[in-house]
Amino acid sequence: MENTDKKPEGRDLLHLVYGDVTLGIHGSRDGAEFHYLFSYTAGGMESLVSGGMEWLYRPPRPCFWRASTDNDRGNGFVLKSGMWLAADQFIRCGKITIWVDGEKIPFPSAPENNKYTGRETASKVRIAYTYETVTVPPAQTEVFYEIDVRGAIQIRAHYHGMQGLPELPLFGMRFVMPTCADGFTYEGLSGETYPDRKAGGIPGIYKVKGLPVTPYLVPQDCGMHMDTAWVEIQRSRRLDNRKSVSGSAALRFQCEKGRLFAFSCLPYTASELENALHQEELPPPRRTVLGIFGAVRGVGGIDSWGADVESAYRIDAENDIRYAFGIQPGAEEKNTV
């Protein structure tokens, strides 16, 4: 008698598609499909479909700038470290390396990818992007993505310190999502916190509705949350012309082995906040901008706005910075009509 319990070959493995300019990684987790695209030309992860929803509007890249605060302007930090604004907007991806099941493979762009059949599988894939900043002198940053059979994505970022560069505002990864989130839930400190402004934060799990922006007279960096174990973004709106598509989904970003991170979740990028002199100059909210940070500069202003940040809360760009976090795919929640 035939053994009907035997699983089809590749059922519990990742399905790999070696395209001319992308590497596709597909699979399922608890019956929910996930689909990832890693671009060779865009220099990053180009698509992250989880819970039936696209989560990326543009490839995530290393980020180095936060919108300047009143105190940054008052103490001249923006004049000393302004080159990091350019580095945040423009960065060169110079190298891409791929490992499949622990083995480094030849770069699979055309025509190298012609040897693949379209039926390749794997239990683990690792992609490394190496970037170079437009600072003078340039600095190198590496971002490693590792995907397992359940679709979990582990991300490791390594900024290589470079002598001669000014202090950093922050270092992390920025994820721009296609629509505004309904809100987010996180485990960490209550309220807005910064490295030198967190003594009053109370540890707990907090649910935030929408994407609140602090209504400063002059828009500036806001919404920072230090010492975070995880943050989960909830979205129901999507960019999709199919009227039949409905439901909501969530995506969780998790710290690695208790090494807490900082995050902000806003409807604006740092450059959009930077360009507005008044609140009414901000564009209509259309996206979710999630920053996961491994290092954040303090805000200073101990005796008055304009006082510099204490040395313990500055980021020396001549030193290496490493941090890691994971992304857990989620299932789509269907709406009932």
Side-chain angles (χ1 to χ4, degrees), residues 230-271:
W230 55 264
V231 57
E232 186 173 276
I233 313 300
Q234 295 93 30
R235 286 176 56 226
S236 59
R237 284 170 287 184
R238 63 191 78 196
L239 293 181
D240 199 314
N241 293 325
R242 297 173 296 165
K243 293 182 179 180
S244 61
V245 174
S246 63
S248 62
L251 198 66
R252 176 173 290 211
F253 295 74
Q254 180 91 35
C255 75
E256 183 193 48
K257 298 178 181 178
R259 298 173 62 184
L260 306 178
F261 56 69
F263 83 94
S264 66
C265 192
L266 301 169
Y268 303 117
T269 63
S271 60

Side-chain angles (χ1 to χ4, degrees), residues 15-261:
H15 175 211
L16 309 184
V17 178
Y18 294 95
D20 287 348
V21 293
T22 60
L23 171 62
I25 301 177
H26 312 276
S28 64
R29 174 191 178 103
D30 300 329
E33 294 184 350
F34 56 84
H35 306 278
Y36 307 147
L37 285 178
F38 290 88
S39 174
Y40 310 145
T41 55
M45 190 179 190
E46 196 168 43
S47 177
L48 193 168
V49 175
S50 172
M53 184 178 290
E54 174 61 74
W55 288 90
L56 295 181
Y57 183 68
R58 60 182 64 172
R61 300 279 187 86
C63 56
F64 309 95
W65 187 259
R66 68 179 188 202
S68 53
T69 66
D70 287 337
N71 202 46
D72 290 333
R73 292 185 285 268
N75 62 37
F77 176 74
V78 293
L79 302 177
K80 293 180 289 186
S81 295
M83 70 172 69
W84 288 115
L85 172 59
D88 193 85
Q89 296 192 22
F90 307 104
I91 195 167
R92 179 186 300 110
C93 179
K95 183 180 178 182
I96 303 171
T97 311
I98 300 173
W99 295 262
V100 176
D101 287 335
E103 182 179 346
K104 183 179 176 181
I105 65 171
F107 186 62
S109 62
E112 172 67 26
N113 62 338
N114 291 337
K115 70 181 183 181
Y116 296 108
T117 66
R119 297 186 296 274
E120 282 71 26
T121 58
S123 59
K124 185 175 291 186
V125 178
R126 190 183 192 209
I127 303 106
Y129 290 92
T130 301
Y131 302 94
E132 187 176 83
T133 66
V134 295
T135 54
V136 181
Q140 190 178 89
T141 298
E142 296 166 325
V143 177
F144 299 85
Y145 296 85
E146 189 170 285
I147 302 93
D148 67 18
V149 291
R150 292 177 59 80
I153 306 171
Q154 191 69 22
I155 299 177
R156 300 180 185 277
H158 180 193
Y159 164 82
H160 294 263
M162 176 60 66
Q163 289 188 354
L165 289 177
E167 294 174 7
L168 276 159
L170 52 73
F171 172 65
M173 295 284 291
R174 186 176 292 124
F175 298 80
V176 181
M177 300 174 185
T179 60
C180 286
D182 302 324
F184 57 92
T185 305
Y186 71 95
E187 182 179 353
L189 300 178
S190 60
E192 179 182 272
T193 52
Y194 283 83
D196 53 355
R197 291 288 186 277
K198 64 178 185 178
I202 302 172
I205 296 176
Y206 299 94
K207 187 175 181 64
V208 179
K209 184 177 181 181
L211 299 171
V213 177
T214 307
Y216 294 115
L217 179 63
V218 178
Q220 54 195 279
D221 190 67
C222 60
M224 188 66 70
H225 300 275
M226 303 299 299
D227 297 349
T228 304
W230 55 264
V231 57
E232 186 173 276
I233 313 300
Q234 295 93 30
R235 286 176 56 226
S236 59
R237 284 170 287 184
R238 63 191 78 196
L239 293 181
D240 199 314
N241 293 325
R242 297 173 296 165
K243 293 182 179 180
S244 61
V245 174
S246 63
S248 62
L251 198 66
R252 176 173 290 211
F253 295 74
Q254 180 91 35
C255 75
E256 183 193 48
K257 298 178 181 178
R259 298 173 62 184
L260 306 178
F261 56 69

